[in-house]
Amino acid sequence: MVRYLARRVIWAAVLFIAVTLVAYVLFFLIPNDPAKLVAGKAATDADVKRAAHFLGTDRPFYVQYAKFLDRLVIHQNLGFSFANRQSVNSIVGNAAPVTASLVFGGAIFWMLLALPIGILSALRPRSLLDRASMTFVLIGISAHPIWIGLIFAYFFGFKLGWTPITGYCDFINPSTDCGGPVQWAYHLVLPWATFAILFAALYVRMIRANVLDTMNEDYVRTARSKGAPEHLVLRSHILRNAMLPVVTMLGMDISLALGGAVFTETVYSLPGLGKTAIFGLNNNDIPTVEGVIVFATLAIIVFNLVVDLLYAWIDPRIRLT
Amino acid sequence: MALLEVRDLKTHFRTDDGIVKAVDGVSFSIEKGQTLGIVGESGSGKSVTCLTIMGLNPKRNTISSGEAIFKGENLLAMSSSRLRDIRGNDIAMIFQDPMTSLNPVHRIGAQLVEAIQLHRDVTKRQARARALELLNAVGIPRAERRIDDYPHQFSGGMRQRVMIAMALVNDPDLLIADEPTTALDVTTQAQILTLMTDLQKDFGSAIIIITHDLGVIAEVADDVVVMYAAKVAEHAPVDNLFKRPHHPYTWGLLGSLPRLDADVERLVQIRGQPPSLLNPPRGCRFHPRCPYVMGICKTVEPELLPAGDEADHVQACHLDVATKDREAAKVLAGTMAEAS
């Protein structure tokens, strides 16, 4: 177990370096000089040079990367934004809770939708419910989140006036003019629904397929041959096994989405990581972009580890060695 | 009265291609404490017969008819809750593949305890004690330690022992074993068979054993049903079947057994394939593969009738008794007309 964890941590470090380095290299391939943007439109060549020196972009990229690593590892500091000189730590720190609210709330939303629909349509294949849910899956997978978001915002937000169309309210301390759990949830209902639709569709399909597969397992027949009633067969023998792969997928999808639910955040103007990353990209703001990448990578690494540990706990066949 | 009497059992599956008559008019009976062997090729309907008796076929697309009278009650006509009471309590079942028949995420002990508590109003502690008793009875070494292991920590033979323990835990009157040794290696097969016959003496259960292996039949069965293409081809006490087999299909099965006493270059096989049950041949279902086929076989389906003077030995073949005795003798001598 200790050896397993040690190996995982080493792998995480390798992965981390690979991801951040690739991001740096890509950035230097973009023929845009952040110093020019910083120096402004009327800047002379000397001004741009001074700006470049100030930002550190006049050094070769590997020096910059080494400095970035040094700052991050030694001081846990992501540096300062090229665009507005804000601390990237605080930029990411402000954006992460927004994305986390969206992703975790969305995950609860989509599991609440996908679990009952997936299980019921597996129990009654080819029924009306099954066909309706498969239609939903098709729409959910085909429709783009931006389109769904705009349609939701138009109908529920604008036409019906049920929900706010844009904006975010802080859960705990109101930095904006609204705050508190109720306002927080009220503002997030539409983003949650939008975000959840795609995943709910994918999960309905996966849960249905898993349950259908598991229903045909020999041990399910064994359970019936023991005289177990159907609800017990379903709960203790079918679902317990059918949910194993769902747990893995859930962990992977959540960790991936934590890197920024770009489309949903854009439609509803949520100041999350996705929006931050796009802002950074548009302004050639390496520190901000790297900040988001660092956070996303860590989220993925940590979540995958959690999922693996969880999996070893719920599936006795898996031993971590 | 017989413990279980099956009369004219039919199980048909609706498929996209048409109706598959997986079991088509099968009758047999079994007495208390007896062992009945059902033998036949893959797809002959042996397993479906037993799954139908247990009510374990998928409900959708399955049509069953006929009767299976168990201790005076028709299993095919009773409510599903009454059937659940009987399953695992009065009739228990062991399956072919012990590797997949136990739930991988539950401990062995928990699976046995579940089987007990479904039918007995006992505490978990009492159920666990009973489970341990059974695990010892089926010869699991260090059972008190292994009761908390998971299925994947057992070998195939040990898992089949666990399955047998789980089947016997409520002291059933009838145990249905669906190819219990097929997935095991040969030495383990013998151990499992011996275990089953030993436990039968202790528990007094009747056993229906399904197999495609006549060697298994010879070892454990009192009575044998030979099934071919969803129907009974021959039904006889085991000694009769091996001494005086009457059906050409049985001859084929006997002829294809590997023998040590006869000098045979290669195993005799029954030529051709078992027929499709979507569209079985007219007349005798075995006629396209039968070396002794006559004109009548292609049009008239033979009835299941006593062969010669033995009332308890029935078979479905048009050949006359003299021919049968002559050919059977050849088969037993290992010189059956080369069928391929």
Side-chain angles (χ1 to χ4, degrees), chain A residues 82-128:
Chain A
F82 285 176
N84 55 20
R85 305 307 303 156
Q86 265 189 353
S87 148
V88 174
N89 280 29
S90 75
I91 293 178
V92 171
N94 285 332
V98 180
T99 302
S101 303
L102 176 63
V103 171
F104 284 108
I108 292 171
F109 237 80
W110 91 56
M111 286 313 282
L112 284 179
L113 271 175
L115 273 175
I117 299 179
I119 294 168
L120 283 174
S121 61
L123 293 181
R124 314 216 183 306
R126 299 186 197 188
S127 65
L128 198 64

Side-chain angles (χ1 to χ4, degrees), chain A residues 58 217 232:
Chain A
D58 55 346
E217 290 287 347
L232 188 69

Side-chain angles (χ1 to χ4, degrees), chain A residues 218 222 224 226 236-237 241, chain B residues 100-101 103 106 111 114 119:
Chain A
D218 287 348
T222 305
R224 290 209 177 92
K226 289 198 281 191
S236 170
H237 295 277
N241 283 283
Chain B
T100 55
S101 293
N103 192 329
H106 295 302
Q111 298 191 47
E114 184 188 34
H119 298 287

Side-chain angles (χ1 to χ4, degrees), chain A residues 23-106:
Chain A
Y24 248 94
V25 171
L26 283 178
F27 228 89
F28 272 84
L29 291 176
I30 301 173
N32 241 342
D33 188 358
K36 265 187 191 152
L37 275 162
V38 168
K41 273 184 186 156
T44 60
D45 280 356
D47 290 338
V48 173
K49 246 189 184 150
R50 242 194 359 262
H53 183 72
F54 176 68
L55 296 174
T57 51
D58 55 346
R59 315 283 291 274
F61 85 89
Y62 47 84
V63 175
Q64 292 186 51
Y65 181 67
K67 278 193 145 179
F68 157 79
L69 270 190
D70 170 67
R71 264 202 313 269
L72 182 65
V73 176
I74 310 293
H75 307 288
Q76 286 83 48
N77 184 353
L78 287 161
F80 294 90
S81 159
F82 285 176
N84 55 20
R85 305 307 303 156
Q86 265 189 353
S87 148
V88 174
N89 280 29
S90 75
I91 293 178
V92 171
N94 285 332
V98 180
T99 302
S101 303
L102 176 63
V103 171
F104 284 108

Side-chain angles (χ1 to χ4, degrees), chain A residues 123-126 217-219 221-230 232 236-238 240-241 244 314-317 319, chain B residues 16 51 54 56 60 84 87-88 91 93 95 97 100-106 111-112 114-115 118-119 150 152 163 166:
Chain A
L123 293 181
R124 314 216 183 306
R126 299 186 197 188
E217 290 287 347
D218 287 348
Y219 53 78
R221 189 180 55 189
T222 305
R224 290 209 177 92
S225 81
K226 289 198 281 191
E230 279 308 303
L232 188 69
S236 170
H237 295 277
I238 297 179
R240 180 70 206 278
N241 283 283
L244 293 178
I314 57 177
D315 188 344
R317 281 165 299 183
R319 285 284 161 268
Chain B
D16 291 341
L51 289 173
M54 290 285 275
L56 287 176
R60 209 170 300 120
R84 270 202 303 276
R87 282 207 293 250
I91 308 179
M93 198 158 176
F95 298 98
D97 192 350
T100 55
S101 293
L102 290 162
N103 192 329
V105 302
H106 295 302
Q111 298 191 47
L112 268 89
E114 184 188 34
L118 280 168
H119 298 287
Y150 287 98
H152 71 271
M163 282 297 292
M166 197 153 78

